[in-house]
Amino acid sequence: MIDKTVPTVEAAVAEISDGASVMIGGFGTAGMPDELIDALIARGVGDLTIINNNAGNGEHGVAALIREGRVRKIICSFPRQSDSHHFDAAFRAGKIELELVPQGNLAARIHAAGAGLGAIFTPTGFGTQLAEGKETRLIDGRHYVLEYPIQADFALIKAEQGDRWGNLVYRKTARNFGPIMAMAARTTIAQVRHIVPLGALDPEVIVTPGIFVQRVVESAPALAAVA
Amino acid sequence: MIDKTVPTVEAAVAEISDGASVMIGGFGTAGMPDELIDALIARGVGDLTIINNNAGNGEHGVAALIREGRVRKIICSFPRQSDSHHFDAAFRAGKIELELVPQGNLAARIHAAGAGLGAIFTPTGFGTQLAEGKETRLIDGRHYVLEYPIQADFALIKAEQGDRWGNLVYRKTARNFGPIMAMAARTTIAQVRHIVPLGALDPEVIVTPGIFVQRVVESAPALAAVA
Amino acid sequence: MNRLNRDQMAERVARDIPEGAYVNLGIGLPTKVANYLPADRDIFLQSENGLLGMGPAPAKGEEDWELINAGKQAVTLLTGGCFFHHADSFAMMRGGHLDICVLGAFQVSIHGDLANWHTGEPGAIPAVGGAMDLAIGAKQTFVMMELFTKQGACKLVEACTYPLTGLGCVSRVYTDMAVFDLGVDGAKVVEMVEGLTLEDLRQSTGLTLTLANEIEAA
Amino acid sequence: MNRLNRDQMAERVARDIPEGAYVNLGIGLPTKVANYLPADRDIFLQSENGLLGMGPAPAKGEEDWELINAGKQAVTLLTGGCFFHHADSFAMMRGGHLDICVLGAFQVSIHGDLANWHTGEPGAIPAVGGAMDLAIGAKQTFVMMELFTKQGACKLVEACTYPLTGLGCVSRVYTDMAVFDLGVDGAKVVEMVEGLTLEDLRQSTGLTLTLANEIEAA
């Protein structure tokens, strides 16, 4: 019997080691796998490459990872936020490398990795600073920039429900990057509000098939109630 | 009030004219929009470019379009089937042009069109006849073939339920090419088993958002009961 | 001359959005446009974070922080709306499925180049988000901005000096003083506020401006 | 020498599929492998037409023609299975998410080149389907075939003469006479049926064959 559920967030992140590349789902706080990130911080590994839409704000999640000095490089579309002082300080001090990627290219490059493409000609960024030095091509009268897939060793994502085969469904705009990061990471770890029995999820509405998920852990109930 | 439903299949296909490119959903008979194809045949237009996984079998659907001499070119992955004699005859007589595409490239090229990519480096077909004359590239130790998007003027697809905004859900393996063809065609026409009131479809489980669909028509009840 | 205030600008943009349009309103000023879309018309607002059919803000105390817009504000979903993942959301934008997007800008060139993501100042932390995707993806990209900065510099320019968001992507600019159509032939004045003349506009902007076919006073 | 029949070959392949594997069984001969997968192990069968967790054929009269496999036969869905569209289905294959795919073949080269889609005969209508995607996508591609054609030609060859499906993609070949591992160093014999010697195999195939580390009689 295959059972991808694990009892604790600590067990869920136990294979992540120094130097790993880690995708983290979420857009703003929606879909942010806070408890997995906390467990990753507690694990103490560093030199990480983080792929997330933002670079953290406030004192939690990605911001805390940066504050603790665990992040060597971040690939994101929108690092500058009202309360992103930990990223700002690390960036200005030259302690973190930033790869700034237009959000649609970020999504498409993650999707391309999951789908096995070698590279994609994307319409976004042509003629801008963010395409400097990149190969471009005129196709059918339109300019495109060649972009490469973004893969990762791990993805930490948040879903609403998951089963022991790793099938997931999400809730509202917390879905965001979860499904495509699950496809692009070698090991995908999903924090879910509820682990449900196999068969409880309608096969027509499963958003992430279990093939893309390696670990499922239920959020601590007390925290889930607050979230 | 926006209402994309139309009363008859004849009205649904009324804009398709000679020389149009038309994607047709379905894999085998599952998801094949038979009534829309019948209406297209009845409309009498020709010189069509058809994009479908197969090239029709028996006497219905794509096979009937070919039999009636309406198809100038077909883009598909698997034209040879047990009962594909209309295609076979037209092909051997030089009356139909065939662009044979590996099924994954077909899906990825349709998806690329819907997603606005200019071209994609795909892993499939390298070193084979089907990549002859195409640009290739070695990326990160693996060989890829450059493939271009497949767009179309129209897509004819079949879904289970649809509403007046064009939102669709599918049934089992009848989903297949429907969602990506809807994204890749300028005008997507969906034949559905049931038109449902706006709001009847759970926003979490809508597979094709209405933005990708321009017309929705309900299958004739008598035929739907047989299907 | 009666310059439009920001609400009047939003109202003016809203008038050009037809029923049935799929629209993305960028963060900041363009979000005001939603307030002026008539409730009895079906207009479909898309949010980059995976939402189509976005409704107004919820009542205070009824926020759901898993139902937010691109600006991370709590929103609602209209009956008939739906959710999807980020690749599908940006496929909508980049694949040309949106009819209109409305963006703010630092500068727009008379040929439609857009600069709205980065001031380029030394030490400024760049952040692009979905701006570049929106700019080049929609069938029509509208910009909504005051024509002049607080310092008096004209934001409609011959050529942008700020880092570009996209090339030749803006088709129309709505400002507090006039509405302009942009293109390869340069900027054409579509409308001016009462009391403003084409000559005034030419002088204050320093641009070669022509009149579009139909000119009407706002 | 006791050649394996097709069911025995299927049974032999099934023995190499571990619990938890995501597997695609190609149309034709490989579909037989499903009959020998133990029901008490969770093994996930994928079908290219948008199905994961494929179950056995339904009882006669209970077919649902919207629930079919790649060979267009009626199938069932296991509890925990799900449906998805074609781009997602081929992303599973091409993105390296399948552990194993099992394919039939016209020819396989000792370096793992595969020919299984087209005889190349004049007048033959080519059809490729998902063969090329499967061949190069899965982590391991197994081929299952009789070692010789009915005309006595060896199907494991130095270099394929039929049009190729993929280059260097097959890692293991299961035949009625022996199992071979393929790679840049050529073909290694993993197993032979009772009564067959390496020398017999070398003579009948005309190939330079070596033994893999552990050789066992089937």
Side-chain angles (χ1 to χ4, degrees):
Chain A
M1 193 183 95
I2 292 298
D3 185 357
K4 298 181 181 180
T5 66
V6 290
T8 64
V9 287
E10 291 72 27
V13 301
E15 289 170 8
I16 305 181
S17 52
D18 285 335
S21 54
V22 184
M23 293 180 168
I24 299 180
F27 181 94
T29 51
M32 192 68 69
D34 289 316
E35 295 175 54
L36 289 175
I37 301 172
D38 287 347
L40 180 59
I41 294 171
R43 205 175 134 58
V45 295
D47 198 28
L48 301 172
T49 295
I50 298 295
I51 298 102
N52 178 248
N53 189 57
N54 302 106
N57 62 333
E59 298 298 326
H60 296 290
V62 175
L65 263 179
I66 293 172
R67 181 190 66 214
E68 300 298 322
R70 309 293 170 72
V71 185
R72 184 180 67 73
K73 176 180 177 179
I74 188 157
I75 302 175
C76 69
S77 88
F78 209 80
R80 189 189 63 224
Q81 288 184 280
S82 52
D83 206 14
S84 57
H85 55 279
H86 287 305
F87 170 79
D88 297 2
F91 182 72
R92 294 214 160 91
K95 287 182 177 162
I96 192 167
E97 183 186 342
L98 169 66
E99 180 178 347
L100 187 70
V101 181
Q103 197 172 163
N105 282 354
L106 187 63
R109 291 172 63 188
I110 291 169
H111 183 266
L117 300 179
I120 53 177
F121 279 104
T122 98
T124 298
F126 177 80
T128 76
Q129 276 186 6
L130 297 188
E132 272 172 22
K134 296 188 175 182
E135 181 175 340
T136 62
R137 193 176 291 202
L138 184 65
I139 300 170
D140 213 6
R142 197 168 186 201
H143 292 282
Y144 296 88
V145 181
L146 188 66
E147 296 282 358
Y148 292 90
I150 300 176
Q151 285 190 309
D153 299 318
F154 296 91
L156 308 183
I157 65 172
K158 182 180 183 176
E160 184 65 11
Q161 296 180 307
D163 65 28
R164 67 177 171 87
W165 280 6
N167 295 307
L168 303 177
V169 297
Y170 301 82
R171 184 170 175 274
K172 302 189 178 180
T173 57
R175 186 184 303 195
N176 59 68
F177 283 95
I180 55 172
M181 287 182 170
M183 293 172 68
R186 273 172 284 276
T187 300
T188 293
I189 305 163
Q191 163 188 331
V192 302
R193 284 231 174 78
H194 308 286
I195 290 175
V196 298
L198 200 68
L201 301 176
D202 179 348
E204 298 283 6
V205 314
I206 287 170
V207 173
T208 296
I211 189 172
F212 298 128
V213 178
Q214 283 69 45
R215 312 259 179 286
V216 178
V217 61
E218 201 170 62
S219 311
L223 289 170
V226 176
Chain B
M1 192 182 96
I2 293 298
D3 185 356
K4 299 181 179 179
T5 65
V6 290
T8 64
V9 288
E10 290 72 26
V13 301
E15 290 172 6
I16 303 179
S17 52
D18 283 336
S21 53
V22 184
M23 293 180 168
I24 298 180
F27 181 95
T29 51
M32 192 67 71
D34 288 316
E35 294 174 55
L36 289 175
I37 301 172
D38 286 346
L40 180 60
I41 294 171
R43 206 174 133 57
V45 295
D47 198 28
L48 301 172
T49 295
I50 298 295
I51 299 103
N52 179 248
N53 188 59
N54 302 107
N57 61 333
E59 297 298 327
H60 297 290
V62 175
L65 264 178
I66 293 171
R67 180 191 66 215
E68 300 300 321
R70 309 292 171 73
V71 184
R72 185 180 65 74
K73 176 180 177 179
I74 188 157
I75 302 175
C76 70
S77 88
F78 209 82
R80 189 190 61 225
Q81 289 185 280
S82 53
D83 205 12
S84 56
H85 54 278
H86 287 304
F87 170 80
D88 298 0
F91 181 73
R92 293 213 161 93
K95 288 184 178 163
I96 190 166
E97 182 185 345
L98 168 66
E99 180 179 347
L100 187 70
V101 181
Q103 197 173 162
N105 283 354
L106 187 63
R109 291 172 64 189
I110 292 169
H111 183 266
L117 300 179
I120 53 178
F121 279 105
T122 99
T124 298
F126 178 80
T128 76
Q129 275 186 6
L130 297 188
E132 270 171 24
K134 296 189 175 183
E135 181 176 339
T136 62
R137 194 176 291 202
L138 184 64
I139 300 169
D140 213 5
R142 197 169 186 200
H143 292 282
Y144 296 89
V145 181
L146 189 67
E147 295 282 358
Y148 293 89
I150 301 175
Q151 286 190 308
D153 299 319
F154 296 90
L156 308 183
I157 64 174
K158 181 179 183 177
E160 185 64 12
Q161 294 180 310
D163 64 28
R164 68 176 170 87
W165 281 6
N167 295 306
L168 303 178
V169 297
Y170 302 83
R171 185 170 175 275
K172 302 189 180 181
T173 57
R175 187 183 303 196
N176 60 68
F177 283 94
I180 56 172
M181 287 182 170
M183 295 172 68
R186 274 172 285 274
T187 300
T188 293
I189 304 162
Q191 163 188 331
V192 302
R193 283 230 176 79
H194 307 286
I195 289 175
V196 298
L198 200 67
L201 300 176
D202 179 348
E204 298 283 5
V205 313
I206 288 170
V207 173
T208 295
I211 190 172
F212 298 128
V213 178
Q214 282 69 44
R215 311 262 179 284
V216 178
V217 61
E218 200 169 63
S219 311
L223 288 172
V226 176
Chain C
M1 179 182 67
N2 294 311
R3 292 195 189 193
L4 303 188
N5 63 29
R6 296 188 138 202
D7 284 300
Q8 290 170 316
M9 287 165 66
E11 192 177 2
R12 177 62 193 87
V13 173
R15 268 174 35 211
D16 283 357
I17 297 180
E19 176 150 46
Y22 290 90
V23 181
N24 186 300
L25 302 174
I27 56 176
L29 184 53
T31 57
K32 275 185 181 288
V33 173
N35 301 336
Y36 298 95
L37 297 175
D40 61 342
R41 271 194 243 156
D42 282 341
I43 289 172
F44 307 101
L45 297 183
Q46 196 252 16
S47 187
E48 69 189 17
N49 54 320
L51 180 58
L52 186 65
M54 184 168 64
K60 207 168 162 69
E62 295 188 5
E63 295 89 355
D64 178 344
W65 296 105
E66 292 187 335
L67 179 46
I68 59 176
N69 66 12
K72 282 125 189 170
Q73 299 161 310
V75 296
T76 53
L77 187 75
L78 299 180
T79 297
C82 62
F83 303 106
F84 35 83
H85 65 53
H86 243 79
D88 282 347
S89 181
F90 279 81
M92 280 180 199
M93 296 181 196
R94 295 149 54 110
H97 306 284
L98 292 178
D99 296 297
I100 294 168
C101 87
V102 186
L103 297 173
F106 297 145
Q107 289 179 326
V108 178
S109 87
I110 57 171
H111 302 297
D113 298 344
L114 173 65
N116 78 344
W117 72 284
H118 187 22
T119 61
E121 280 166 28
I125 292 175
V128 64
M132 288 186 181
D133 304 288
L134 278 169
I136 58 88
K139 291 189 188 108
Q140 293 186 82
T141 295
F142 294 163
V143 157
M144 188 179 164
M145 65 182 190
E146 278 87 18
L147 187 54
F148 293 90
T149 66
K150 283 174 192 147
Q151 290 74 36
C154 187
K155 295 166 74 177
L156 181 65
V157 294
E158 288 281 346
C160 296
T161 54
Y162 285 119
L164 288 178
T165 306
L167 284 170
C169 53
V170 179
S171 56
R172 183 168 268 209
V173 181
Y174 296 84
T175 74
D176 49 344
M177 297 172 66
V179 177
F180 305 89
D181 275 349
L182 310 181
V184 286
D185 300 332
K188 299 194 162 104
V189 180
V190 179
E191 282 176 20
M192 289 177 283
V193 294
E194 216 174 86
L196 187 71
T197 67
L198 182 63
E199 200 46 45
D200 294 338
L201 259 187
R202 282 180 175 148
Q203 286 216 334
S204 59
T205 62
L207 297 168
T208 308
L209 297 170
T210 57
L211 288 180
N213 280 347
E214 350 76 69
I215 183 147
E216 3 159 2
Chain D
M1 180 184 63
N2 294 311
R3 292 196 189 192
L4 304 187
N5 64 30
R6 296 188 137 200
D7 284 300
Q8 289 169 317
M9 287 166 64
E11 191 175 6
R12 177 63 194 85
V13 174
R15 268 173 37 209
D16 283 357
I17 298 180
E19 176 149 46
Y22 290 90
V23 181
N24 187 300
L25 302 174
I27 55 177
L29 183 52
T31 58
K32 276 185 180 288
V33 173
N35 301 336
Y36 297 96
L37 297 175
D40 61 345
R41 272 193 242 157
D42 282 342
I43 289 170
F44 308 102
L45 297 183
Q46 196 250 17
S47 187
E48 69 189 18
N49 54 320
L51 181 57
L52 186 64
M54 184 167 65
K60 206 168 163 72
E62 297 188 5
E63 296 89 354
D64 177 344
W65 295 105
E66 291 187 335
L67 178 46
I68 60 174
N69 65 12
K72 282 126 189 169
Q73 299 160 310
V75 295
T76 53
L77 187 74
L78 299 181
T79 298
C82 61
F83 302 106
F84 34 83
H85 64 52
H86 244 80
D88 282 348
S89 182
F90 280 80
M92 280 181 198
M93 296 180 195
R94 295 149 54 109
H97 305 284
L98 293 178
D99 296 297
I100 295 167
C101 88
V102 185
L103 298 173
F106 296 146
Q107 286 179 327
V108 178
S109 87
I110 57 172
H111 303 297
D113 298 344
L114 173 65
N116 77 344
W117 72 282
H118 187 24
T119 60
E121 281 166 28
I125 292 175
V128 64
M132 289 188 181
D133 305 288
L134 279 168
I136 58 90
K139 291 189 187 107
Q140 292 184 82
T141 295
F142 295 163
V143 157
M144 188 177 163
M145 65 182 192
E146 277 88 17
L147 187 54
F148 293 91
T149 65
K150 283 176 192 145
Q151 291 73 36
C154 187
K155 295 167 74 177
L156 181 63
V157 293
E158 286 281 346
C160 296
T161 55
Y162 285 119
L164 289 179
T165 306
L167 284 170
C169 53
V170 180
S171 55
R172 184 169 267 208
V173 181
Y174 297 84
T175 74
D176 50 342
M177 297 173 67
V179 177
F180 304 88
D181 275 349
L182 310 181
V184 285
D185 300 332
K188 298 193 164 104
V189 180
V190 178
E191 284 177 20
M192 288 178 286
V193 295
E194 216 173 87
L196 188 69
T197 68
L198 182 62
E199 200 43 47
D200 293 339
L201 260 187
R202 282 178 176 150
Q203 287 214 336
S204 60
T205 62
L207 297 168
T208 308
L209 297 170
T210 57
L211 287 180
N213 280 347
E214 349 76 69
I215 182 147
E216 5 159 1

